[in-house]
Amino acid sequence: MFQIIGIVVLFAMVFGGYTIAGGKMGVILHSLPYEMMMIGGAAVAALLISNAPSTLKGVAGGFGKVFAGSKWKKQDYKDLLSLLFQLTKTMKSKGVIALESHIEKPAESTIFQKYPKVLKDHFAVDFICDTLRMMTMNLEDPHQIEDAMEKQLEKHHHEALEPAHALQNMADALPALGIVAAVLGVIKTMAAITEPPEVLGGMIGGALVGTFLGVFLAYGLVGPLATRLTGIINGDAAYYKIIQSVLVAHLHGNAAQISVEIGRGDIPSGAQPSFTEMEEALSAAPTDA
């Protein structure tokens, strides 16, 4: 919602101020289609040239994230902690054998099936199951497992940020592409140097629209969108960090409820359930496999 409001304010303030100051929108509107074709087309072409198909798909999906906000809400964090509570509780009370059926086929697990949104996130499921599988292989050094988990998180986060970086690179390129469009406008003007001053003035004004659009789009629209997308991705990364915190705490010998409380402390403040809310959620979560 605030992003839409921001875009409306952006256009209203820039073009409203220009109009109030006596500027003529006719020059901009006349040149806009051609300048946008050159600047926008070149920016999209550069995006296609410099990025893999998976990154391009992420950029397209990233616009939805910008307006929708964080993927994970308070209930999702409660569900994740409840899931981890049940898994660690089962492992501690019933042993490794009781856990194997859940981590080998999570889609068929009676524990995982209670949390469909977690189950739908393939990285989260693989991250949980692979870590618990390492524990079942008697790899019980908390520091070794924590290091392995940290490398997985870094790899996933680096890949998740690629669409935001691609969008930021586009924003960085737009001012220069605006200059390219402006130079082409100047070339066109120089080729018509014998025209009267009023005609040349309009042509020069049209050429400068290219410079304006490049800077305007870069710093007013595309750059802020890239920043917003980066913030959302960084915020969503906390979801996976909680998995690491809970499972490492479990390896250190903490009770399942203590491990979950350690993980709860890593939840972003805006989505963090209170101690009481989490206690109620855990009490309502069945622990039998």
Side-chain angles (χ1 to χ4, degrees):
M1 175 62 72
F2 284 106
Q3 286 68 45
I4 296 175
I5 293 173
I7 291 173
V8 171
V9 171
L10 170 69
F11 280 87
M13 293 297 102
V14 171
F15 292 104
Y18 170 75
T19 303
I20 292 172
K24 304 297 183 181
M25 288 296 297
V27 177
I28 295 177
L29 294 175
H30 179 266
S31 303
L32 189 62
Y34 316 108
E35 300 295 333
M36 279 299 298
M37 180 178 178
M38 288 186 280
I39 299 169
V44 171
L47 186 72
L48 295 173
I49 292 169
S50 59
N51 293 285
S54 59
T55 303
L56 297 174
K57 184 178 178 181
V59 170
F63 288 106
K65 290 183 180 180
V66 165
F67 295 103
S70 177
K71 176 182 179 181
W72 307 113
K73 313 302 181 185
K74 179 185 284 190
Q75 184 60 47
D76 299 319
Y77 285 104
K78 289 167 68 175
D79 288 347
L80 176 63
L81 290 177
S82 297
L83 168 65
L84 294 171
F85 172 76
Q86 293 182 61
L87 292 172
T88 54
K89 185 75 171 178
T90 299
M91 187 175 185
K92 187 174 284 288
S93 62
K94 298 187 177 182
V96 170
I97 300 301
L99 195 65
E100 284 185 353
S101 62
H102 298 287
I103 62 177
E104 292 302 327
K105 295 181 179 179
E108 301 175 8
S109 165
T110 55
I111 295 178
F112 277 95
Q113 286 176 352
K114 296 166 188 169
Y115 307 103
K117 191 168 181 180
V118 180
L119 191 58
K120 190 177 179 181
D121 190 300
H122 298 296
F123 177 74
V125 172
D126 290 343
F127 192 42
I128 293 169
C129 293
D130 290 347
T131 303
L132 290 174
R133 196 175 289 113
M134 282 193 290
M135 295 181 188
T136 64
M137 296 166 60
N138 295 321
L139 184 61
E140 295 183 351
D141 180 357
H143 301 292
Q144 191 173 1
I145 291 182
E146 186 174 10
D147 183 60
M149 296 177 81
E150 192 66 38
K151 289 178 180 178
Q152 281 185 275
L153 289 176
E154 288 179 0
K155 174 188 173 184
H156 179 265
H157 192 55
H158 174 76
E159 292 172 350
L161 280 172
E162 286 179 356
H165 290 158
L167 205 57
Q168 184 59 55
N169 288 338
M170 176 189 279
D172 293 340
L174 279 169
L177 294 175
I179 293 174
V180 170
V183 169
L184 290 174
V186 171
I187 293 173
K188 176 186 173 183
T189 303
M190 295 304 292
I193 195 68
T194 57
E195 296 291 333
E198 59 271 18
V199 174
L200 293 176
M203 296 176 70
I204 293 172
L208 292 175
V209 170
T211 303
F212 160 72
L213 279 179
V215 176
F216 174 74
L217 293 174
Y219 297 108
L221 194 61
V222 180
L225 289 175
T227 301
R228 169 67 174 164
L229 181 58
T230 300
I232 291 172
I233 293 171
N234 286 335
D236 285 348
Y239 188 82
Y240 308 110
K241 190 72 175 177
I242 290 164
I243 298 172
Q244 180 190 33
S245 298
V246 172
L247 295 184
V248 171
H250 171 73
L251 270 179
H252 280 287
N254 292 292
Q257 195 155 358
I258 298 300
S259 299
V260 165
E261 180 58 25
I262 292 172
R264 188 183 73 86
D266 289 337
I267 298 176
S269 299
Q272 187 181 52
S274 67
F275 179 86
T276 303
E277 288 175 326
M278 200 64 242
E279 191 173 38
E280 291 173 354
L282 297 182
S283 299
T287 56
D288 57 331

